[in-house]
Amino acid sequence: MSAEITGVYKRLLDAWNGGDAEAAAALFADDALVVGFDGGHIGGVEVPAGGTYVAKIRRVWDGRMVHAIVGVVPPGSYDLDPALNAVHTVVVEDGKIVLFQSTPAKYMARPDLAASHNAELTPLLLTGDTLG
């Protein structure tokens, strides 16, 4: 895995978890394409409201693109909310995110994949790590 792209992605998750919009925005190129969880193109960078984000990288391509599964523990909870599971695609060029896409991980009619998603992320909650 490329240390640069995984480092950028981890800093993004840490900024979200810390509610630090300025730190998150600094990770993106000025002309970055950001596609939110609802499929809308976001003008600028938004920090998701509350919750703790954890992610596991599934693959890195050419040291530029990361594919990760993501889960969220909502405020006041201690467990992942399956309704907030997502898949992230992130492309980094010259140390900046140029593409970020968050796709809801609904796994329609495939409960085994939904269970696997959470099973992969749960150990991160136990260790306190943001990224696995």
Side-chain angles (χ1 to χ4, degrees):
M1 275 192 239
S2 167
E4 178 184 25
I5 191 168
T6 58
V8 169
Y9 185 54
K10 181 171 182 354
R11 287 192 299 278
L12 177 62
L13 294 172
D14 290 344
W16 281 354
N17 288 341
D20 190 342
E22 188 173 313
L27 297 169
F28 287 81
D30 293 339
D31 61 347
L33 173 60
V34 181
V35 182
F37 192 72
D38 67 353
H41 295 237
I42 301 169
V45 178
E46 296 177 9
V47 173
T52 300
Y53 288 73
V54 293
K56 184 169 183 186
I57 294 176
R58 290 262 179 93
R59 185 170 174 196
V60 174
W61 283 270
D62 299 325
R64 298 182 45 230
M65 183 170 73
V66 68
H67 167 76
I69 60 169
V70 184
V72 180
V73 178
S77 180
Y78 297 99
D79 204 1
L80 297 165
D81 180 348
L84 300 175
N85 285 349
V87 175
H88 284 172
T89 303
V90 182
V91 177
V92 174
E93 291 180 357
D94 300 321
K96 296 284 187 175
I97 298 170
V98 295
L99 169 69
F100 175 86
Q101 181 165 348
S102 181
T103 304
K106 299 296 182 191
Y107 303 114
M108 295 175 186
R110 297 182 293 176
D112 56 320
L113 293 179
S116 174
H117 187 116
N118 282 355
E120 285 188 61
L121 296 173
T122 298
L124 296 172
L125 299 177
L126 301 174
T127 62
D129 293 328
T130 304
L131 184 61

